Amino acid sequence: MTFGGQDLTLKRIVETVTFAFQPIVDYGTGVVYAHEALLRTIEPLGFNTPTDVLDAAFEKGFLPQLEPALLDIALASYNKILTAKGTKLFFNLDGRGLGQDTDPRMEMDAVTQRHGILASQICLELSERHHQTYDDITEHALRDLRRQGFLLALDDFGKGSSELRLLHDLGPDYVKIDRFFLTGIDMDARRKLFVTTVTNLAHVLGVRVIAEGVETEREYKACRDAGCDLIQGFFVAHPFAQKKDARLFYDHIRTPTVGSKRKEEERRIRAELLDLPTIGLDASMSDLLDIFMSDQEISAVPIVDSNREPRGLIHERDLKAYLYAGGSDEDDYKAALDLPIRNFVRSCPITDIDSNADMLLVTFASSLNSDGLIITENFRYAGFLSATSLLKIIHEKRLEEAKDQNPLSRMPGNGAITRFIADSANKRSGDRHYCYFDFDNFKPFNDTYGYRQGDRAIILFSELMQRHLSANGAFTGHVGGDDFFAGFVEGDQTDIAWQMLTLKRAFKTDVESFYDPAHREQGFIEATDRFGGLRQFPLLDCSISIVTAPDGFVTRADEVLEALAKLKREAKKSDDGLVVMTMGE
């Protein structure tokens, strides 16, 4: 069979193809949030990829008829997966010519109804391949599909030149980051910056971000640290065709939580949440007005779908402007009440309750004319956080941090470090790594250049720690003087050691600028040692000790600190200034 052969018909495609399903998983819990339907069994038709099938159908003129038929096949298979009940289905929509003439794709809600599935459980995934063909008719058609309840996702985001415009114009529910930006993201700061920036922008617009095509643990962690909400790819699970292979959750996809301080921050957020009444997308305008009339203090109502996932806000001021725009004529007023409330939904920043309070502030500050944030828990509506409440939370957090903060570096001090070690050492699951940093030759540097220059070196190291380690999920602290600490609640010991050596090299390189040219050129300074003798000291460097508590090993904070103290002396003597040990071995 050749591409676009004469015997290729709509009927033959429908009778031949099948679907496999790939899980899309919640980063926080590991629970399956959705599945993407992937076209399979296309080889008997003479095609190598699903896009070849769609291209042939478009060439022969029956693409508008084929896509609803494919959705019908996918839903028939999906309905047989018991563990998929209540999850969403992502369905790839080609979209070429969408909305032209009597396009059967505009009646796809009838397909979902036949299978007893709400349109709000289906996300139409728009590929980057044909964005350039979209015109006003296409975008109008997509808005009509959204009014029917369908969700929208932009696939391959970042690959083409039109995604930012579509993100603005269509206001999709999800964006899928293109695989190009995820490949090697753990090693490429520019890629990570791009993903982080897109994620922050999406959250401001109330859009969820999916890291698609994640294949390694390092990519998984980097995407999680960049703020992605959902993950899809071979690292999670391969597509499956048999319903016996479906699962409810994946244990290896779950964000670890450590520390009473983080729990206290979440408690503060919960305490400030406003329990605003919500309303469904399919509710009537009269129901919405009843909510505003029942409580004069309410100025906005969150809109949720059938799974109680928020889709935006409706502001009372928008309704007033519309309801009374036509004057006081009773017929005009009744006609206004018949309009679907979907027409008045505004996007609103949405973020999860386990988000860091500082990130909540960044999200809020980046939005325009926002009254606050919609807060979710496991993607479902949990409450509304007003701007006043958010500022109160940040203020309380700053006061708490100031109580236990090194005044020079502004980093957490000994109390916070001890709490982190105590909280994490008592847990059995996962490897935990404790890293201690101590400057080499700091006293002679201080004696030669003065305490002010010494303080500059300490501040430089603290900034390098934030840049190299905090972005990778590490807890960082300043013990005092030229001693620092970093802790990890997951990760491979070899990978952690590599990160430490990278930080060590960066410090050694950057701190050279603090020396006079002559000292830099000769590579040492002459200063008095502790015994009063004059000797040569190399330029500033640091020694690093790493103690690992392996998976299943429970210890105490004092045991960890004792092990670090012993290693500290060994690190000073080692060739590369780094030593590691695993407790229990």
Side-chain angles (χ1 to χ4, degrees), residues 51-185:
T51 56
D52 291 340
V53 179
L54 299 175
D55 287 343
F58 177 75
E59 186 177 289
K60 289 178 172 295
F62 58 76
L63 179 63
Q65 291 74 31
L66 175 62
E67 294 200 285
L70 292 178
L71 177 61
D72 188 56
I73 297 170
L75 290 177
S77 298
Y78 200 58
N79 255 346
K80 297 175 183 177
I81 305 173
L82 295 179
T83 57
K85 298 296 182 184
T87 65
K88 290 178 167 51
L89 179 68
F90 279 62
F91 178 79
N92 291 279
L93 187 71
D94 183 285
R96 279 177 287 184
L98 186 67
Q100 302 283 349
D101 302 323
T102 56
D103 191 336
R105 289 173 291 190
M106 302 309 298
E107 308 296 330
M108 286 192 296
D109 57 334
V111 178
T112 65
Q113 290 173 19
R114 284 202 303 271
H115 292 277
I117 294 178
L118 296 172
S120 59
Q121 287 181 254
I122 309 299
C123 181
L124 302 176
E125 195 169 320
L126 307 174
S127 172
E128 181 273 338
R129 293 177 66 233
H130 305 299
H131 287 175
Q132 71 278 6
T133 69
Y134 290 1
D135 54 18
D136 291 343
I137 295 176
T138 306
E139 294 186 13
H140 180 74
L142 289 171
R143 291 190 177 91
D144 280 348
L145 289 171
R146 296 200 73 180
R147 280 191 282 270
Q148 293 174 24
F150 289 103
L151 304 171
L152 290 183
L154 295 182
D155 195 13
D156 306 321
F157 193 86
K159 188 175 182 179
S161 58
S162 59
E163 286 93 341
L164 282 176
R165 183 182 66 81
L166 288 173
L167 181 62
H168 173 271
D169 293 349
L170 294 181
D173 302 279
Y174 309 89
V175 294
K176 283 189 166 185
I177 304 294
D178 184 66
R179 170 68 191 159
F180 170 82
F181 296 101
L182 305 186
T183 304
I185 184 177

Side-chain angles (χ1 to χ4, degrees), residues 293-529:
M293 294 296 293
S294 64
D295 189 341
Q296 298 298 313
E297 298 298 320
I298 296 176
S299 60
V301 173
I303 310 302
V304 297
D305 64 14
S306 57
N307 285 340
R308 287 195 57 76
E309 293 187 44
R311 294 300 162 201
L313 287 174
I314 291 184
H315 292 273
E316 183 184 26
R317 59 180 178 267
D318 293 337
L319 295 183
K320 286 180 178 178
Y322 182 80
L323 289 173
Y324 301 115
S328 59
D329 186 272
E330 187 174 343
D331 290 337
D332 289 341
Y333 185 80
K334 288 181 178 178
L337 291 179
D338 290 336
L339 276 177
I341 64 174
R342 297 175 188 275
N343 294 4
F344 299 92
V345 178
R346 283 191 179 194
S347 63
C348 175
I350 299 174
T351 188
D352 204 69
I353 197 164
D354 63 2
S355 299
N356 180 280
D358 291 317
M359 184 51 65
L360 296 183
L361 182 62
V362 170
T363 301
F364 173 75
S366 302
S367 60
L368 297 175
N369 302 320
S370 175
D371 301 316
L373 303 169
I374 290 179
I375 304 297
T376 59
E377 186 168 14
N378 297 330
F379 291 90
R380 289 173 172 78
Y381 175 77
F384 185 78
L385 189 66
S386 69
T388 302
S389 295
L390 175 58
L391 293 176
K392 177 183 175 183
I393 291 169
I394 295 295
H395 177 66
E396 291 176 350
K397 181 180 179 180
R398 294 291 180 263
L399 288 177
E400 189 68 28
E401 289 174 344
K403 294 178 183 178
D404 185 21
Q405 188 181 74
N406 186 283
L408 179 60
S409 64
R410 304 295 182 185
M411 294 178 70
N414 277 317
I417 293 170
T418 302
R419 285 193 298 272
F420 171 85
I421 296 175
D423 288 341
S424 57
N426 194 42
K427 297 183 181 298
R428 291 183 178 274
S429 59
D431 292 348
R432 291 134 293 157
H433 309 279
Y434 308 99
C435 311
Y436 196 96
F437 306 85
D438 182 25
F439 287 7
D440 298 331
N441 311 310
F442 185 63
K443 184 180 183 304
F445 173 81
N446 239 355
D447 292 343
T448 302
Y449 287 98
Y451 288 104
R452 186 171 183 178
Q453 198 75 332
D455 287 348
R456 285 188 62 205
I458 290 171
I459 292 171
L460 169 66
F461 192 79
S462 68
E463 291 173 348
L464 289 171
M465 286 186 74
Q466 297 293 320
R467 189 185 313 162
H468 286 266
L469 304 183
S470 295
N472 294 327
F475 168 86
T476 56
H478 187 178
V479 178
D482 59 325
D483 294 72
F484 291 83
F485 173 87
F488 298 79
V489 295
E490 61 177 358
D492 176 73
Q493 189 184 72
T494 302
D495 181 50
I496 300 299
W498 178 84
Q499 292 184 52
M500 298 304 104
L501 289 174
T502 300
L503 171 61
K504 177 181 167 72
R505 285 193 295 269
F507 174 64
K508 187 174 182 179
T509 299
D510 290 356
V511 82
E512 282 189 7
S513 64
F514 292 7
Y515 287 86
D516 292 339
H519 288 156
R520 286 202 302 270
E521 185 176 350
Q522 66 188 21
F524 63 86
I525 59 175
E526 290 186 343
T528 305
D529 63 20

